[in-house]
Amino acid sequence: MDNGSHNLLGDFLRARRESTSPAQAGFLHAPSRRTPGLRREEVAMLAGVSNSYYIRLEQGRERNPSAQVLSALARVLRLDPDATEYLYSLAHPWARPQPETGVMDQVSPSLLRLVDLSRHAPALVLGRRFEVLAHNPLLEALYEGMTNIDHCVRMIYLSPVAVDFYPDWEKAARAKTAQLRTAVAADPDDPYLCGLVAELTAESAEFRRIWALHEVQARGNEIKELRHPRLGDLSLSWEVLSVSGTGQKFVTLAAEPGSHSEWALRQLAESVGASAARG
């Protein structure tokens, strides 16, 4: 599934070929060219396959490349571990692990209590489709002014103030889109994910541009750079714990001790507490 495309492997290879410069591939004195990246025949030569075979791969007419060929392509196209794993999953979909089983749209009472007990740190429960299944009031205060906070990818593309909320919006959007593509690869027939990609494709030119890059990235711990409308620039550590057997993630955002970000979280926690007391 790729907005109607049935040739995910070919689309991925073409996108990564076009984003790999001749210099990166070892062509130190390559002449100037009209098209970006490497030519098909250059990839074929460096990977040790015939040009006709590589063309069949990009066109979707070759469906069973060997592990040796995939390893060579990963090397030529300078794929990182996440992108290499994605390449193998596209080439050998029958070997793809099945999505985690369990109730994906409900959060257990014990996990909800854990979210509620996180009084001094923004906390949320994230589903495997990037739905925010639960969050505490401090998280809502942190994302003040943002819309679509019930879904991480919709929020970054469809919130009118997102480009101001993320100091480096391009970096944040590309990371989230790369994570979404990884989730799609794990379950390409999931109706929710199919609908999400179709919705974002229809509503966001920026999503269409970044989705076409075919970047992939696994979710994990990271640093979130945010610009709160009242408290300024914040740098928060996104700490992720997997919830066994559900595909869900328990996430907290923490600040470096003694930093401006820690002070800002205290201010938010105090204002949330004061609001709760008044209510």
Side-chain angles (χ1 to χ4, degrees):
M1 187 279 296
D2 192 1
N3 192 30
S5 172
H6 63 280
N7 184 22
L8 282 175
L9 176 61
D11 291 344
F12 178 66
L13 289 172
R14 183 175 61 256
R16 298 311 292 256
R17 173 174 60 80
E18 292 177 350
S19 65
T20 303
S21 70
Q24 287 175 320
F27 296 107
L28 300 182
H29 303 290
S32 60
R33 52 187 67 187
R34 297 177 184 176
T35 57
L38 297 174
R39 298 187 176 103
R40 291 186 180 91
E41 58 267 26
E42 291 170 338
V43 175
M45 179 189 70
L46 293 170
V49 300
S50 69
N51 189 41
S52 60
Y53 179 85
Y54 181 75
I55 290 174
R56 291 200 304 273
L57 277 176
E58 280 203 6
Q59 291 178 344
R61 295 187 292 116
E62 173 55 57
R63 300 287 186 174
N64 191 27
S66 68
Q68 181 180 2
V69 168
L70 294 174
S71 177
L73 290 172
R75 171 180 51 79
V76 171
L77 299 175
R78 302 176 64 85
L79 303 185
D80 63 19
D82 288 341
T84 299
E85 182 178 349
Y86 179 73
L87 173 66
Y88 275 79
S89 75
L90 295 180
H92 301 148
W94 59 86
R96 184 186 293 122
Q98 293 299 308
E100 294 175 279
T101 59
V103 177
M104 307 305 295
D105 58 351
Q106 295 184 358
V107 182
S108 70
S110 59
L111 192 55
L112 287 173
R113 285 195 296 273
L114 185 59
V115 172
D116 187 56
L117 288 171
S118 301
R119 305 288 174 83
H120 303 291
L124 65 148
V125 178
L126 195 62
R128 67 179 179 87
R129 303 176 184 93
F130 298 91
E131 327 95 303
V132 177
L133 302 175
H135 66 270
N136 65 1
L138 188 50
L139 183 97
E140 193 164 346
L142 176 65
Y143 283 85
E144 178 182 324
M146 294 286 279
T147 61
N148 297 283
I149 67 168
D150 60 339
H151 196 279
C152 293
V153 188
R154 282 195 184 95
M155 177 175 64
I156 205 164
Y157 281 106
L158 302 183
S159 296
V161 299
V163 292
D164 298 318
F165 190 78
Y166 293 94
D168 190 341
W169 182 90
E170 177 80 10
K171 178 182 176 181
R174 287 177 68 164
K176 196 58 63 184
T177 307
Q179 293 163 11
L180 174 61
R181 187 171 281 282
T182 302
V184 168
D187 195 1
D189 298 319
D190 182 284
Y192 183 94
L193 291 174
C194 291
L196 175 63
V197 172
E199 174 193 356
L200 293 172
T201 298
E203 296 193 22
S204 172
E206 288 299 304
F207 177 80
R208 293 194 295 274
R209 174 180 65 85
I210 294 175
W211 186 251
L213 298 175
H214 286 258
E215 295 173 333
V216 291
Q217 177 183 324
R219 286 183 293 182
N221 296 346
E222 56 186 291
I223 300 298
K224 293 283 187 185
E225 303 291 343
L226 308 175
R227 180 166 291 148
H228 193 273
R230 292 184 293 106
L231 300 173
D233 288 356
L234 308 177
S235 181
L236 302 173
S237 176
W238 175 272
E239 303 291 340
V240 181
L241 297 174
S242 295
V243 182
S244 178
T246 68
Q248 298 171 3
K249 311 284 186 182
F250 174 70
V251 183
T252 60
L253 288 92
E256 188 72 22
S259 65
H260 166 76
S261 298
E262 184 187 47
W263 171 84
L265 286 186
R266 283 202 303 268
Q267 297 299 306
L268 286 176
E270 290 174 4
S271 65
V272 167
S275 296
R278 288 194 298 271

